[in-house]
Amino acid sequence: MPKKLVIKVTAGPEAAERCSQAFTVAAVGVASGVEVSLWLTGESSWFALPGRAAEFELPHAAPLPDLLDSILAGGRITLCTQCAARRDITEKDVLEGVRIAGAQVFVQEALAEDTQALVY
């Protein structure tokens, strides 16, 4: 089993099941002791902002704020640089613990030894 898990979520409320799956897999990875790096891109970028996860609803799914909190507590969350810029999101706007980084960092993480990368 890989020691690191890099997950890129590209979907937001418009593809709620896919979005929820990415956060759920990331949270389960953290709970399992795997090193997790979750990347927010596209419409999922908005979840880097305070309060936005609370607006997300999907029946029979774990609440997104709870998943987000568990990932932040034991893993890393990164907001894509270009996605942030397109939405006028800056470092001062995001939740504590969320960093903003670009494709070079994503590629570096995804290609690291003993790493599995998933895209939702």
Side-chain angles (χ1 to χ4, degrees), residues 58-80:
L58 181 63
H60 310 291
L64 203 60
D66 295 348
L67 297 173
L68 189 61
D69 288 346
S70 69
I71 299 163
L72 279 169
R76 174 184 297 144
I77 296 181
T78 305
L79 172 59
C80 163

Side-chain angles (χ1 to χ4, degrees), residues 12-43:
E14 80 290 350
E17 287 183 302
R18 189 164 27 114
C19 177
S20 179
Q21 288 169 0
F23 279 88
T24 300
V25 168
V28 168
V30 169
S32 300
V34 176
E35 184 180 326
V36 174
S37 177
L38 178 69
W39 283 72
L40 304 176
T41 66
E43 287 305 300

Side-chain angles (χ1 to χ4, degrees), residues 7-11 23 37-50 52 68 71-72 76-95 97-106 109:
I7 300 170
K8 180 184 271 194
V9 56
T10 62
F23 279 88
S37 177
L38 178 69
W39 283 72
L40 304 176
T41 66
E43 287 305 300
S44 72
S45 299
W46 296 111
F47 298 126
L49 299 176
R52 293 303 282 267
L68 189 61
I71 299 163
L72 279 169
R76 174 184 297 144
I77 296 181
T78 305
L79 172 59
C80 163
T81 302
Q82 290 181 13
C83 300
R86 281 190 282 275
R87 290 160 180 82
D88 294 320
I89 300 172
T90 67
E91 293 271 345
K92 67 179 181 183
D93 299 319
V94 299
L95 293 163
V98 173
R99 69 175 177 167
I100 297 177
Q104 179 182 0
V105 177
F106 176 79
E109 286 186 10

